[in-house]
Amino acid sequence: MTPTRRHAVLRRVKDITLSTTLSIALLGGAVALQSCGNNNSDSDEEQTETRFGKGVRTYITETAPGNFKITDEVQANPGQAGAIVSYFDGHRDTLSVEAAKRLVETDQSTNTYLHNPGAYQAHHHNGLANALLWGSLGYMLGRSTAPQYRDDARRYGSGIYANTDLYNRSTRVGESVRTSRVTRSVRPSSGRSGFFGGRSRSFSS
């Protein structure tokens, strides 16, 4: 084979190799893009949002170190709902619904009730988290509105108020908050439209 012809053959082999490499790279890129697109399916799962048409402002007093009682409750707009806490040492604090919810979710006693109501009695105490949970504000913090838990509300709630008259009056406030609860199921749109776009439905309980 002459040098000129050998050079032409080698160049032809290089061209074929380069073409094959580019094809594989492009094909791999297409697979990767398809895979990335499929990952969006997880974000389309239906989510639940809860809103309240009415709120409550709860006044709580630490009557002895570690012992908290609800001393007043008044109806309020949802945006003004929360708790005002007067501590035994004299200082005062205001808790938003979000801050009160974090406290209830992290306290061992109330966290036990939220996740395992049957085991709650052994962990029940008169701490701040329990005052928040068993007052009317508790519905806005994740306490169930289901009928089977109404007895729990009477059993534990009555003891968290300063007196019986206040408990009876606050029961009406709590019922107003409970019945204003609206749960809304939302499916994220993920940027799509038409039949596959976002949708929602709502119902009250």
Side-chain angles (χ1 to χ4, degrees):
M1 181 179 296
T2 63
T4 302
R5 186 174 179 185
R6 183 182 302 166
H7 179 71
V9 171
L10 290 174
R11 187 171 61 183
R12 177 64 175 166
V13 170
K14 289 180 180 180
D15 290 343
I16 293 173
T17 303
L18 180 60
S19 176
T20 303
T21 302
L22 287 173
S23 297
I24 293 173
L26 289 172
L27 180 60
V31 172
L33 288 172
Q34 184 177 10
S35 176
C36 289
N38 289 338
N39 287 337
N40 290 332
S41 60
D42 293 339
S43 64
D44 291 338
E45 293 181 3
E46 202 168 74
Q47 299 175 354
T48 300
E49 293 179 351
T50 299
R51 295 182 181 275
F52 289 85
K54 296 181 180 179
V56 58
R57 182 172 294 173
T58 299
Y59 293 82
I60 301 173
T61 300
E62 187 179 21
T63 58
N67 188 78
F68 292 83
K69 293 284 186 180
I70 294 175
T71 51
D72 197 12
E73 279 189 333
V74 294
Q75 198 86 57
N77 292 327
Q80 298 175 325
I84 298 174
V85 185
S86 298
Y87 291 90
F88 191 71
D89 64 4
H91 83 279
R92 203 177 190 191
D93 195 11
T94 300
L95 298 176
S96 65
V97 173
E98 293 76 16
K101 188 173 183 178
R102 285 195 298 270
L103 179 58
V104 165
E105 290 175 343
T106 54
D107 182 89
Q108 181 185 7
S109 175
T110 47
N111 181 272
T112 296
Y113 183 81
L114 293 176
H115 295 91
N116 185 13
Y120 169 71
Q121 189 171 3
H123 298 277
H124 174 66
H125 57 68
N126 293 326
L128 177 57
N130 279 273
L132 293 168
L133 181 67
W134 295 112
S136 300
L137 189 64
Y139 291 118
M140 303 184 76
L141 307 181
R143 198 174 95 211
S144 176
T145 60
Q148 62 265 35
Y149 297 118
R150 302 282 172 80
D151 287 341
D152 290 344
R154 285 190 290 269
R155 183 190 314 163
Y156 301 114
S158 59
I160 211 71
Y161 287 86
N163 56 66
T164 303
D165 289 341
L166 176 59
Y167 169 71
N168 292 334
R169 177 167 62 82
S170 294
T171 297
R172 294 190 291 273
V173 175
E175 186 65 10
S176 179
V177 174
R178 185 188 71 81
T179 55
S180 75
R181 178 179 182 266
V182 176
T183 300
R184 172 181 156 110
S185 297
V186 179
R187 184 185 297 277
S189 63
S190 299
R192 296 181 298 182
S193 59
F195 288 105
F196 299 100
R199 64 183 183 185
S200 66
R201 64 178 184 272
S202 62
F203 57 90
S204 59
S205 58

